[in-house]
Amino acid sequence: MNVVVIGAQWGDEGKGKIVDYLSSEVRTVLRFSGGANAGHTIVHDDITYKLHLVPSGIIYEGTEVILGSGMVIDPEALFAELRELETMGISWQGRVFISDRAHLVLPSHRREDVERDEARRNPIGTTGRGIGVAYAHKAHRDGVRLADLEWTDHLATLTQEDQEFLAAWKDRLSELAIDVAVHMHEGIDPGEHVLLEGAQGALLDLDLGTYPYVSSGMSSSAGAITGSGLGFNKLDHVLGVFKAYSTRVGHGPFPSEIEGGNQNDLENHIRETGREYGVTTGRARRVGYLDLVALRYACRTNGIDSLALTHLDVYDDLEEIKACIGYETEDRTLDSFPSSIPLLEEARPVTMSLPGWRTPIGEIREYDRLPREARDYISFIEEYVHVPVSMVSIGYRRDQTIVRTSVWGDRK
């Protein structure tokens, strides 16, 4: 069975923890998009792992992880991450593979990334790691794939610096290369569970997101098809991960953003309690009410079958919880997610208030034992987006996860 896990907001939804939780039941975890600009934080056996390129399943000894065809991979960053995992007691040899169709990030890409964003009239706010530039070179058809490391005529068109960089990493990369289409169709038993892990979030997808304030890769569920070499009829379940509130990093419209502070200092409470700082950059994330308009849009456009709600415990101390159920503009109220950036920037959240539960929930292990107000909040979300919440995360630890319905089809 093949399950896709994607972010259903603007990234940073807690996908790493959810993938880690599900990874104990799988043999293979494949990440299908993104680069070292992504960041997943996993707390496993009281040890915190921060991953950027390596799929989250690496923590489990019997799990193989694959960097898929839709990724852009910086060799320097990849092997630095693998070295760090080794120092933390994770043996990765023989378990990490790279699709030979994945593109490589070069030194010139990183430099060009910074220069391009500085030159923009409206900067995107990239991480400066060359991700977007690598994707741009891929689209221009002058990128370098792992399979191209033996293509001397093509490599000769690169700068001397880039050629030397690739020469230094060629042997180590080649040892990890696989034909991912062959592996996924012939190397995995049909009865085994496979996780396909996305990066960033659906609202940062190049086609479906708030363009141009988006990622350069496919962070929607559709990316799982090209990134894994599987056909669309081979995907059994799409799980969307979202937080009990919304966050966004960098520039771009954010209709439900909490602006100007308020008497309860809600923005600061959420940021500090939820540790809302970028894993990769350390930047403080922008904070907003849960945007149900955007979440419903993500569910519709990605075929999300069920949702995993994270960070619910961040609301433990609040008397009142607000959720965005529409957008108010100068001349109308919207209940759908528009493509127009000016309209999204103009929009202000129409909110609905629900009572809080004012009690810690981090040690609860059964859904029916959650406070009634917490369950009502979840039911309200389900009714609005018309998608069931199958998992609820109430803390950073793996055991702080409540499974209502298994993505593998087993009722719990």
Side-chain angles (χ1 to χ4, degrees):
M1 185 173 182
N2 302 316
V3 170
V4 180
V5 179
I6 63 167
Q9 295 169 309
W10 280 280
D12 310 308
E13 301 96 345
K15 296 182 295 298
K17 179 196 171 177
I18 299 302
V19 172
D20 172 63
Y21 185 89
L22 296 173
S23 291
S24 63
E25 304 176 66
V26 306
R27 176 204 163 180
T28 301
V29 178
L30 181 146
R31 181 170 151 193
F32 58 81
S33 67
N37 56 338
H40 289 167
T41 300
I42 298 170
V43 180
H44 189 88
D45 292 337
D46 295 324
I47 301 174
T48 299
Y49 302 90
K50 295 187 177 182
L51 304 174
H52 303 277
L53 281 165
V54 181
S56 304
I58 192 65
I59 307 303
Y60 294 90
E61 290 183 8
T63 303
E64 67 174 20
V65 300
I66 302 171
L67 285 67
S69 303
M71 291 187 67
V72 289
I73 299 163
D74 182 335
E76 193 170 46
L78 172 61
F79 286 104
E81 190 170 320
L82 292 173
R83 283 195 303 273
E84 178 65 21
L85 286 170
E86 278 187 331
T87 65
M88 301 180 78
I90 302 297
S91 177
W92 59 268
Q93 287 85 356
R95 298 197 296 123
V96 176
F97 304 97
I98 307 174
S99 167
D100 59 7
R101 289 177 169 85
H103 279 246
L104 301 174
V105 178
L106 307 177
S108 61
H109 296 163
R110 295 194 293 265
R111 188 164 52 251
E112 186 179 344
D113 195 4
V114 175
E115 293 171 353
R116 281 189 176 213
D117 210 46
E118 289 177 347
R120 292 179 188 270
R121 179 173 296 181
N122 297 306
I124 299 297
T126 75
T127 59
R129 284 165 169 75
I131 309 306
V133 172
Y135 276 118
H137 281 270
K138 175 181 178 178
H140 281 297
R141 291 162 291 183
D142 58 7
V144 178
R145 304 172 304 164
L146 192 55
D148 299 330
L149 293 179
E150 301 292 343
W151 189 5
T152 55
D153 289 347
H154 183 48
L155 297 182
T157 66
L158 305 177
T159 67
Q160 187 65 31
E161 179 188 21
D162 286 346
Q163 290 184 52
E164 293 174 357
F165 176 80
L166 290 175
W169 295 107
K170 175 182 174 182
D171 291 342
R172 298 187 69 184
L173 287 168
S174 297
E175 291 174 355
L176 307 181
I178 61 169
D179 184 326
V180 75
V182 172
H183 184 82
M184 297 298 287
H185 287 271
E186 300 179 11
I188 297 175
D189 186 277
E192 293 180 341
H193 293 330
V194 175
L195 274 180
L196 307 174
E197 175 186 6
Q200 285 84 40
L203 300 178
L204 293 175
D205 183 77
L206 184 60
D207 292 305
L208 299 175
T210 51
Y211 185 90
Y213 301 99
V214 292
S215 174
S216 298
M218 294 181 69
S219 50
S220 64
S221 59
I225 299 170
T226 54
S228 67
L230 293 170
F232 71 91
N233 61 331
K234 300 298 183 184
L235 305 184
D236 299 295
H237 191 98
V238 179
L239 177 68
V241 184
F242 76 106
K243 285 188 286 205
Y245 47 91
S246 301
T247 63
R248 179 163 194 165
V249 172
H251 303 287
F254 189 15
S256 72
E257 186 168 14
I258 302 169
E259 296 182 349
N262 56 47
Q263 60 183 4
N264 296 317
D265 199 17
L266 177 61
E267 178 185 10
N268 186 63
H269 169 80
I270 292 175
R271 181 177 292 119
E272 297 305 320
T273 307
R275 306 181 202 179
E276 295 299 346
Y277 296 88
V279 177
T280 301
T281 64
R283 288 185 292 186
R285 296 172 184 144
R286 298 157 65 189
V287 175
Y289 307 112
L290 173 61
D291 189 335
L292 290 175
V293 180
L295 181 62
R296 183 171 61 188
Y297 168 77
C299 290
R300 288 173 170 175
T301 55
N302 287 272
I304 291 175
D305 295 296
S306 72
L307 290 161
L309 168 60
T310 66
H311 291 239
L312 185 62
D313 56 300
V314 171
Y315 278 161
D316 282 356
D317 297 330
L318 301 186
E319 293 183 4
E320 178 185 71
I321 297 168
K322 289 184 177 182
C324 171
I325 59 171
Y327 303 146
E328 192 170 54
T329 67
E330 186 174 337
D331 58 357
R332 55 182 158 157
T333 299
L334 304 173
D335 64 358
S336 60
F337 193 75
S339 57
S340 167
I341 296 301
L343 194 58
L344 281 169
E345 289 177 335
E346 176 192 344
R348 293 295 174 264
V350 177
T351 62
M352 180 171 179
S353 297
L354 294 92
W357 41 93
R358 298 300 302 269
T359 187
I361 62 174
E363 300 308 316
I364 295 173
R365 296 296 177 266
E366 297 177 23
Y367 185 79
D368 290 341
R369 293 186 177 276
L370 286 173
R372 177 181 54 81
E373 294 84 358
R375 287 182 279 121
D376 287 347
Y377 182 56
I378 294 170
S379 294
F380 178 72
I381 294 168
E382 292 177 317
E383 290 169 7
Y384 190 99
V385 302
H386 302 294
V387 176
V389 173
S390 59
M391 300 177 69
V392 181
S393 172
I394 49 176
Y396 286 92
R397 300 195 315 268
R398 187 178 186 277
D399 66 321
Q400 292 178 302
T401 309
I402 298 173
V403 177
R404 300 176 71 192
T405 305
S406 170
V407 296
W408 309 117
D410 305 322
R411 299 290 301 183
K412 292 191 177 182

